[in-house]
Amino acid sequence: MDYGLIATLFVIGFIGSFISGLVGIGGSIIKYPMLLYIPPALGFAAYTAHEVAGISAVQVFFATLSGVLALRNEKVMNYKLVAYMGVAIIIGSFAGGYGGKFLSGETISFVYAVLATIAAAMMFVPKKGLDDVPLEQVDFNRTIATVSALVVGVASGIVGAAGAFILVPIMLLILKIPTRMTIASSLAITFLSSIGSTAGKVMAGDVLFWPSAIMVIASVLAAPAGAKLGTRVNTKVLQGILAVLILGTALKIWFEIATK
């Protein structure tokens, strides 16, 4: 493998994983378009949409695992929420991860763009008083949490993303979970989701070993640092970063679809 490509993949993995830990997402919202467009733009061989989805799925697994371990002593994780949404999303993501092999690259990109657009719209809805509730008093609707996680799991499994980029807006806006608890819990839920989507992509033969290994190394280094920083940054700043990232990615993917 070319050293320039190795460096490129490492930087993509590091940036995506740092943001993953910072705002409680798997990082595919960043890494999917970067993996799809940056290597060929720099003169390296292009990866197909299926290969990018496979690499992303494996990388998300290790990024979220590293982030969860970094936050295990911070006491901001809602384990009941993780249990309800985690079980539902792992079932859905496995089905979507394996079923994605029967879809075209254009369809995968379309699903990704739709998810990102919905998530972006939700992030710009005001969330007044969200972070005023003490963490130990937080409650949520179990049925809505389970059903939403199942649906998101199927759709996100198709693109090799763990789904946190749309679960986070759902947790903030619909379930009314405080920001820091949302970030920590979504990392754990995303880790569970990534088990299903990773297994599905491996079974489908979409995972390239060396690119995935390079991205995993970057994940283990970057995700814990981002997770630790996320517990100290102002919650409005965290919400703003996530909203901008999701909106920018949605616009980029729609532009690419429209110009093909």
Side-chain angles (χ1 to χ4, degrees), residues 189-204:
I189 294 168
T190 303
F191 166 68
L192 294 176
S193 169
S194 70
I195 296 173
S197 57
T198 299
K201 292 300 180 185
V202 170
M203 290 175 62

Side-chain angles (χ1 to χ4, degrees), residues 9 62 96 129 153 168 194 207 249 252:
L9 292 174
F62 286 95
V168 166
S194 70
V207 177
T249 302
K252 173 66 175 176

Side-chain angles (χ1 to χ4, degrees), residues 193-225:
S193 169
S194 70
I195 296 173
S197 57
T198 299
K201 292 300 180 185
V202 170
M203 290 175 62
D206 291 337
V207 177
L208 301 179
F209 178 77
W210 284 112
S212 299
I214 294 167
M215 298 280 282
V216 165
I217 293 172
S219 301
V220 172
L221 295 174

Side-chain angles (χ1 to χ4, degrees), residues 43-111:
F44 303 115
Y47 296 114
T48 67
H50 284 284
E51 290 170 341
V52 168
I55 295 169
S56 295
V58 174
Q59 191 276 334
V60 164
F61 174 86
F62 286 95
T64 51
L65 174 60
S66 300
V68 168
L69 292 177
L71 292 176
R72 65 186 182 279
N73 296 323
E74 296 290 340
K75 298 180 179 179
V76 290
M77 199 170 296
N78 188 317
Y79 291 101
K80 286 185 179 180
L81 182 65
V82 171
Y84 276 94
M85 299 188 82
V87 171
I89 202 170
I90 193 171
I91 294 172
S93 65
F94 180 82
Y98 184 72
K101 69 179 293 185
F102 302 107
L103 302 175
S104 67
E106 290 77 13
T107 302
I108 291 175
S109 293
F110 179 78
V111 170

